[in-house]
Every structure is written in structure tokens, then in C-alpha cells.
Amino acid sequence: MEKPSGTDPSRRASDRGRYGRLSRERVLAAALELVDREGLSALSMRRLGAELGVEAMALYRYAASKDALLDGLVEALYLELEGRLAAEPATDAVEGGWRSGLHRVARATYEVCLAHPQAVPLLATRMLAVPLARRPLAVLRDHERVLALLRGAGLDEPRTSAVFRAYTAWLLGYLSVELRPMVDNPDETDPAFRMGLHRLSPQELPTLRETAAALAEQGGPEGLATGLDALLDRLVGGEA
């Protein structure tokens, strides 16, 4: 049945919850807390409304759909990135030039993602679903920040575009490998059983079994920086 003309359930539902009147910032913060705690699969309008003490329909004032809510989580991550960059001195980036600036952005992105690993998959999935001009402004500001550093290095437009794509691919790829789950049974004390290596065939996967423990180790910010320098040396070298 069609709803009567001029009515909108989201306008009727109260947005005053257990923490007072809602705002977009409060809704996104609560959504991120829920995902941090229970994962993306736990996120729904109904569950988020229960967390905030409001009817689910009240949330549609702040996110028009589930996809919009997911895009809001991406926005929240990039806003946190901006906060981290604003909170730390930028003198090293100024003195070190464009390369230090790229390292600074990459390191801050790494720290945000380590703080919210359950939400990190959205950085890839939502960017695959959302055209450039429709991405959250905080995301576009990050694109602008990196592109400006590259143009400031004296790269022309084609080179800037190529390095931007490679930088983005390295950063997101490194994060996805760094944060991938490796533990099969956290209650196990024996490292091999903890990782579930007994599930891997020694005949079909001998090399994987041998190197699995090393693969489980995180590269940390040092690995991120080393790979980024290698990438920039290859693509830019001493030209800029």
C-alpha cells in the first residue's frame, strides 16, 4: 500500500534518544562504535536506532539509506584522519617537502585504520560503488591533499595521476594485508593450532604452511614507509 501523500515516517519519528537530540555526527559516531564492537554485519537501521534509543525511521533524516549510512562511516574515518593530521605538527612535511607530506598522510591513515579495522573494508567497497563526485567531502579533501603534494613536487598532470593511483593502491593494499584475519582459534595456545595450520594440506600447500607464521606478522608503519619509498623511488626518483 502506498503511503498517503505528504507523509514521511522519518518526519514523524522522534529523534530525541537516550543521549538527547540526534545529529549526523552523533549517528555516525554511534554507527562506527557499533561496527568497531561487532563488525559490519551487525549494522542496520534497526540496530543503530536501538543503540541510540530512537525508532529506526528517525535515522533516515541523517542517512537516507543503508548505503548512505555506509558512506557516512567512510566519511567518519576520513574526518578522523583530518583530525589526526591537524593535531600533529606539519613542520616535518614542510621541511621535508612533498615526500614527507605523503608519508605523513599515509601514516595517519594507517593509524585511523588500525583504530577501526572492522570498518576498513568500506574504504574499498564503497569507493567501488560511489562515483568520484558523489564521495563524501572529507574523502575528496584527502584526494585533493595528496594530489596537491604531487603537483607541488613539479609533476605534470599525467605523472601526478599515475603516482596518485599507485600511492592509493599501495596504501589501501597494504592496509588490507596488514589487517586481514589470520587467527583461526584464539583460545589455542599452540601457534600452529591457533592459526589453524592443520587445516592446510601439507601436500598441496607446503610453502604456505612454512611461511604462514611469518605472513601473520604485521609490517607496521615501518613496512608501510619502506614500501612507499620504494614506490616513489621507482615512479619519481630524483626528478622532483
Side-chain angles (χ1 to χ4, degrees):
M1 179 182 297
E2 294 185 3
K3 63 185 178 182
S5 177
T7 65
D8 182 348
S10 69
R11 295 298 177 187
R12 297 198 304 269
S14 171
D15 67 349
R16 182 171 293 279
R18 65 172 59 99
Y19 306 111
R21 188 171 295 281
L22 298 184
S23 65
R24 178 172 170 78
E25 292 75 17
R26 181 169 291 170
V27 168
L28 294 182
L32 188 55
E33 288 175 9
L34 176 58
V35 170
D36 285 344
R37 191 172 68 243
E38 300 184 33
L40 282 167
S41 62
L43 182 63
S44 68
M45 291 298 200
R46 185 184 299 275
R47 179 65 189 281
L48 183 56
E51 289 278 316
L52 290 164
V54 299
E55 296 178 36
M57 295 306 299
L59 300 177
Y60 287 92
R61 303 177 191 178
Y62 308 99
S65 65
K66 175 69 176 293
D67 282 346
L69 183 59
L70 295 177
D71 291 338
L73 288 179
V74 174
E75 178 185 3
L77 293 178
Y78 277 92
L79 287 172
E80 185 169 324
L81 169 62
E82 289 184 349
R84 286 178 182 263
L85 291 173
E88 65 180 42
T91 53
D92 62 330
V94 173
E95 294 171 0
W98 64 273
R99 188 183 283 245
S100 290
L102 290 177
H103 274 281
R104 180 169 173 262
V105 174
R107 184 175 63 252
T109 305
Y110 177 87
E111 291 169 353
V112 169
C113 290
L114 239 62
H116 307 285
Q118 299 277 16
V120 169
L122 293 175
L123 298 185
T125 58
R126 292 313 300 163
M127 294 304 99
L128 289 172
V130 181
L132 175 68
R134 294 185 181 273
R135 294 173 189 172
L137 181 57
V139 176
L140 298 178
R141 285 197 295 260
D142 182 68
H143 296 346
E144 176 71 19
R145 184 182 300 114
V146 173
L147 289 168
L149 285 167
L150 295 173
R151 293 305 294 270
L155 303 184
D156 59 19
E157 187 173 310
R159 292 291 298 284
T160 293
S161 175
V163 177
F164 175 81
R165 285 197 296 267
Y167 169 88
T168 303
W170 166 250
L171 179 56
L172 295 182
Y174 185 86
L175 287 167
S176 68
V177 171
E178 190 85 335
L179 298 175
R180 72 203 187 288
M182 295 292 287
V183 173
D184 179 60
N185 187 348
D187 296 327
E188 282 284 356
T189 55
D190 183 279
F193 283 99
R194 183 178 174 83
M195 292 186 62
L197 298 188
H198 59 289
R199 301 181 187 280
L200 305 180
S201 167
Q203 288 76 36
E204 291 187 81
L205 308 168
T207 309
L208 180 58
R209 280 174 59 101
E210 278 183 22
T211 58
L215 291 174
E217 296 292 329
Q218 291 188 328
E222 297 81 8
L224 175 66
T226 299
L228 180 55
D229 274 332
L231 178 74
L232 295 175
D233 287 345
R234 175 67 179 84
L235 294 178
V236 182
E239 295 180 26

